[in-house]
Every structure is written in C-alpha cells, then in structure tokens.
Amino acid sequence: VVTLVFGLWMLGRAVPGYRARPRLEPPLARELVGVGLPNYVLTLAERAPGFVLPILVTELLSPADNAAWYAAWMMAWVVFVIPVQVGMTSFAEIAREPSVTRRIVRQGVTTSLALGVAGALVLGIAAAPILGLLGPFYAEAAAAPLRVLLLGVVPLTIVQAYFSLGRARHNLREPIVVGSVSSLFSIIV
C-alpha cells in the first residue's frame, strides 16, 4: 500500500494533473486473465520445489540440515537464474519475431549453456570457500549438495527453452503438465 501511494504521488509529480482513474474493461480483463493465469500456473509449477523442499528438509531431517540445504539452494540459484532469464528473454524475442524462432532458441540455449556451465564450474570448484563465508558448518555440510544441484543447469537450460517456446506460442497446457510433473517428481524424490 505504501509503495502504491508513493507511486501515485510520484506519477502526480512527474505528470502534472495526473489522477488515477481505475476502470475495468471486461474484454481486456478476460484477455489478461487468459494470458496471465496460465503463465502464473507454469511459473508456480516450476518454482514449487523451492517453496516446498526447505519445509520437507526441516520436517524430515533437521533445522540444521535445512540451513545447509537452503544455503546450497540459494547459491545454486545464482547460476540457475541464467537459464531462467535467458528463457524469459527468448520468450519476449520469439513473441516479437516468431519467424526466427529457431535462431532465437538456438542462441538462447547456447548462451545459457555457455554462461551457466561456466558459472556452475566456478561455483562448484569454489563451493567450500564461498559457503565458508557463512561459517565452517556450511562449507562442510552444503558443498556436496551444492555441487549436485549445479549439475541441474544443463537440464534447466533445456526446460527453460521449452517453457519460453510454449509461452511465446500461447500454448501452455503441455508445459504446465510437464512443469507440474517435474516439480512433483523433484519434491518426492
């Protein structure tokens, strides 16, 4: 609410005489929900393990194990953000210029693999010293899980390319099913 009020105040300063006049336009609202909701469900499906696994680790193992797991998971995300963001960029580019989809996907996968694998190698080699910045417990307990997680950058690159293609083509039914099954499998196994 504070951010909303501040934003409206800043808009009023930037555009003299501006007043927000919210109104609902049913055709536009239906279109936005029709596009936004499936994208939200896909994003939720792919991110669910990150929300659920810390709870499971704490409940099934211990809070200390969860601390190590969470440190490893967050460090791995430093690398995982590469294919996720390249996938989002590919989605935007494909939606803008569908005639060069093949080139965009190939370039996105190549970029994701080059940067992601390089980042994973650096982080995997330096796992213990970097985790050691959090304390010796983390260096000892989280280095091996971090290295295993970093192997995921390659499949994540392919999955993100697949998701970006589905998003750009407004064909999300199959990616949602694949994302949900993959998410459940990741949580259960």
Side-chain angles (χ1 to χ4, degrees):
V1 171
V2 171
T3 304
L4 172 65
V5 171
F6 182 72
L8 290 172
W9 177 69
M10 291 301 291
L11 276 171
R13 287 186 53 202
V15 181
Y18 175 81
R19 285 183 16 172
R21 292 177 200 87
R23 66 182 185 271
L24 181 65
E25 296 182 22
L28 180 59
R30 277 191 296 278
E31 182 181 352
L32 289 174
V33 169
V35 170
L37 191 58
N39 277 283
Y40 175 74
V41 170
L42 178 58
T43 300
L44 187 59
E46 71 174 305
R47 305 276 164 82
F51 301 136
V52 175
L53 285 174
I55 297 166
L56 289 177
V57 171
T58 299
E59 291 298 320
L60 297 174
L61 300 175
S62 71
D65 288 330
N66 183 50
W69 165 257
Y70 194 74
W73 183 256
M74 289 297 100
M75 294 259 182
W77 263 98
V78 170
V79 173
F80 291 170
V81 77
I82 294 167
V84 170
Q85 292 309 312
V86 170
M88 286 294 154
T89 302
S90 297
F91 155 53
E93 288 183 18
I94 294 166
R96 182 178 52 93
E97 201 171 346
S99 63
V100 290
T101 296
R102 184 177 295 244
R103 181 186 58 78
I104 293 168
V105 170
R106 187 174 29 253
Q107 182 178 0
V109 168
T110 302
T111 301
S112 282
L113 287 174
L115 296 175
V117 169
L121 285 171
V122 169
L123 188 54
I125 291 167
I130 292 172
L131 286 161
L133 295 172
L134 300 173
F137 165 76
Y138 293 98
E140 183 180 320
L146 173 58
R147 290 182 181 117
V148 171
L149 283 170
L150 290 170
L151 296 173
V153 75
V154 173
L156 184 60
T157 295
I158 304 307
V159 168
Q160 289 301 316
Y162 169 66
F163 287 170
S164 68
L165 200 54
R167 289 181 199 276
R169 292 180 171 169
H170 300 284
N171 182 12
L172 291 177
R173 188 166 290 148
E174 183 181 292
I176 288 170
V177 170
V178 169
S180 299
V181 169
S182 173
S183 187
L184 282 172
F185 184 74
S186 297
I187 292 167
I188 292 170
V189 173

